Amino acid sequence: MTLKIILPVGISFYTFHGLSYVFDIYNNKIKPTYNLINYSLFVSFFPLLVAGPIERATHLLPQLEQGRKFNSTKAFDGLRQILWGLFKKVVIADNCAVYANQIFNNSDDMSGSTLVLGAVFFAFQIYGDFSGYSDIALGSARLLGIELLKNFNFPYFSRDIAEFWRRWHISLSSWFKDYLYIPLGGSHGGNRMRIRNTFIIFLVSGFWHGANWTFIFWGGLNALFIMPSIILKTNRNNLGIVAEGRILPTWREIIQLTSTFSLAVFAWIFFRAESLEHAFKYIRGIFNFNFLPGQLSSL
């Protein structure tokens, strides 16, 4: 018998959002607010509820407690960001979803090249969905004079997986780092503790996305991908932007960008698949070396 329980939309986001307030008070990073209206607004600030970003009390509460006046410059910037977010969602994500869904739903009949293309389509779909909504949320808040945390920073222009996770869903990654990784001991205690703590936060991140083994496997796979840089302590090597001070990236950077994007796309297969069996069949289809593009004409 399956329990059919109705849960509020976006519960995972505002749960973490509210927990940050409790943790920051416990860690003496912020004093508790005794204004019920300000606290209620902090917890239920509408642009954040469905898909974040996950705000911190130290960042959002002070803005809610101070007076604000309409600022036309911020309002126009907010409208531009809303339009940019809508473009990502409606033009990029929704159109990529049409092809990604057809390929994933009919993967048994697709060639290897088509399956690769389907994974790439999904990579851009999920980026357009998540970052598009974040832009809409940031723009809506800016219309009201509120600055929210930046949530995406060109993640597919990363040179390694560590940099990718500093640029992808930044508010969630930093939440896990501050409230889970560091309390577990962080990087202290040698490689064994660093490896353990890294696997814990990635597995919890997978479970946070959904109660399905595909998400758990996706989290574990990303932990494996980031592990070499954790062990060799190179995870902080790429803190700047690609091709900084130059028009084009170097060949080394191009190889790094391509390999990091390929690893991210490979992991997204598990995120999108309906089950682990579906994901492994999909991957086997890619490596069957059947690269005839005939199926593309039917999409």
Side-chain angles (χ1 to χ4, degrees):
M1 181 178 180
T2 302
L3 293 177
K4 295 183 179 180
I5 302 174
I6 298 176
L7 296 176
V9 173
I11 186 171
S12 56
F13 287 93
Y14 64 77
T15 298
F16 276 26
H17 179 66
L19 283 173
S20 72
Y21 173 75
V22 178
F23 293 153
D24 285 343
I25 291 175
Y26 179 80
N27 293 320
N28 296 316
K29 292 182 178 180
I30 193 173
K31 294 181 179 179
T33 180
Y34 297 100
N35 187 311
L36 180 61
I37 294 176
N38 285 341
Y39 174 75
S40 300
L41 180 58
F42 164 74
V43 173
S44 60
F45 191 53
F46 75 91
L48 305 172
L49 291 181
V50 177
I54 302 169
E55 268 293 341
R56 307 295 182 87
T58 52
H59 183 251
L60 183 55
L61 257 178
Q63 296 185 72
L64 300 177
E65 292 171 346
Q66 65 185 15
R68 292 178 303 281
K69 293 183 179 179
F70 179 76
N71 185 311
S72 59
T73 302
K74 284 188 175 182
F76 284 125
D77 285 343
L79 287 172
R80 278 195 290 267
Q81 192 157 11
I82 290 171
L83 288 173
W84 179 233
L86 286 170
F87 176 83
K88 286 181 178 177
K89 167 59 182 165
V90 177
V91 178
I92 297 176
D94 288 357
N95 281 289
C96 286
V98 173
Y99 298 106
N101 289 340
Q102 290 189 33
I103 294 171
F104 271 88
N105 293 340
N106 302 281
S107 57
D108 290 343
D109 303 323
M110 300 294 174
S111 66
S113 59
T114 306
L115 295 177
V116 170
L117 194 59
V120 173
F121 274 130
F122 179 71
F124 285 105
Q125 175 198 342
I126 196 169
Y127 171 74
D129 272 332
F130 276 11
S131 70
Y133 181 85
S134 291
D135 283 330
I136 295 170
L138 267 67
S140 300
R142 192 169 293 136
L143 280 173
L144 304 174
I146 301 292
E147 294 294 330
L148 300 181
L149 296 170
K150 189 174 184 179
N151 213 19
F152 290 85
N153 187 23
F154 304 102
Y156 290 149
F157 287 91
S158 301
R159 287 153 290 186
D160 57 48
I161 292 296
E163 184 183 11
F164 174 83
W165 282 106
R166 286 194 297 270
R167 294 174 175 272
W168 178 276
H169 211 326
I170 299 168
S171 63
L172 179 64
S173 300
S174 62
W175 197 99
F176 278 121
K177 183 191 75 173
D178 293 341
Y179 300 124
L180 186 58
Y181 183 77
I182 292 176
L184 284 171
S187 300
H188 303 290
N191 274 341
R192 180 177 295 181
M193 183 171 287
R194 297 173 76 205
I195 292 170
R196 184 202 68 179
N197 294 343
T198 299
F199 267 99
I200 288 173
I201 63 169
F202 274 102
L203 292 174
V204 172
S205 175
F207 184 74
W208 179 85
H209 281 90
N212 192 320
W213 284 111
T214 55
F215 297 120
I216 306 297
F217 196 93
W218 167 80
L221 194 58
N222 275 285
L224 286 175
F225 289 162
I226 204 174
M227 204 49 60
S229 63
I230 295 294
I231 295 172
L232 299 175
K233 298 181 180 180
T234 60
N235 54 305
R236 306 286 297 177
N237 280 5
N238 296 311
L239 299 178
I241 61 173
V242 175
E244 189 170 8
R246 292 175 276 110
I247 298 176
L248 296 173
T250 63
W251 282 109
R252 181 169 183 252
E253 287 177 329
I254 291 173
I255 294 171
Q256 290 174 326
L257 292 172
T258 304
S259 59
T260 303
F261 179 71
S262 299
L263 290 175
V265 169
F266 182 81
W268 286 135
I269 294 173
F270 291 91
F271 197 94
R272 171 58 179 80
E274 296 178 2
S275 64
L276 286 178
E277 182 184 5
H278 181 205
F280 285 119
K281 284 181 67 177
Y282 194 99
I283 293 168
R284 283 198 300 271
I286 291 176
F287 292 101
N288 276 340
F289 301 104
N290 176 17
F291 283 87
L292 298 176
Q295 289 90 340
L296 288 173
S297 61
S298 62
L299 297 180

